[in-house]
Amino acid sequence: MLSSSIKLLDKILHSNDSTLIGLYNEWIAEKEYQISILSLSKQQLQEQGIELNEIQSNIERLEKDMSIRSEAFQAEKTANKIEWKEVRSMLKENEYAIEIIRFRQFNKVFTDSVMYAALIIDKNTKDHPELVLLPNGRQMEKRNLKYYRNTVTLNTPDQYSYDLYWRPIKNKLAENALVYLSCDGVYNQLNLEMLPVKGTETYVIDQNQIVLLTNTKDLLSLEEINKIDKKKETKKASNNSQYVFCGSPQFYTTNTTQKTIVDLPGAEKRHRR
């Protein structure tokens, strides 16, 4: 998902080092396996004979071997040595950082089932990020995504997307909170802020402001924080000034019979508020 990871993968695949490529593939499988067992209880881990420390040790061994063979991997690994507590330290009251992760379900062996996990932290998170599991990943990526696209294309009411993609996460968030969000998989294909809230005339953007990040570690970039703070101050200053909003353009004349571009749902309402 991340641009840096894509560049790293490209460098490794074009290195012509079959051993390095093999190590990288094994490392990806181990990381995916590690994520997949987040949903297992201690009892389930014991019943399946899964040793978390052994998995972590194997990941570290693979990383060490790859670092020896690849300067690019070593540089990426060094840049990624950031813990969730460091991200938490950058959050203010009523702010959240959410990392959405796509992974295959594990039941003694990897299955074809896909799950999504949302890791949520705020300023007051203590022991570990809060986990929200979305188990129907394949359905979210196929039938549900097709439904979402059809409602946007045909300009028809969307009765289900909010409940499927956002409500389980929203249940963990305070109203009017600022959300720093890093997406994965199908979430990169959704306009989350414009999902209509079922049973109301509001949208996700009316509940929470979402700031998209490549990775939640980007919050540690002072330059990024300064840009976001500057936007906040500009918005506050504009509240006391005269301004004009332009939006919801009319793409066709009244005489046009065939219209291929539909109006963005909620656009006119948003600009009238």
Side-chain angles (χ1 to χ4, degrees), residues 23 79 112 160 165 203:
L23 288 170
D112 290 332
Y160 304 108
Y165 295 107
Y203 297 81

Side-chain angles (χ1 to χ4, degrees), residues 195-213:
L195 290 181
V197 181
K198 187 176 180 179
T200 72
E201 294 184 358
T202 62
Y203 297 81
V204 170
I205 194 172
D206 297 313
Q207 299 177 331
N208 299 104
Q209 179 186 354
I210 297 177
V211 177
L212 294 177
L213 302 175

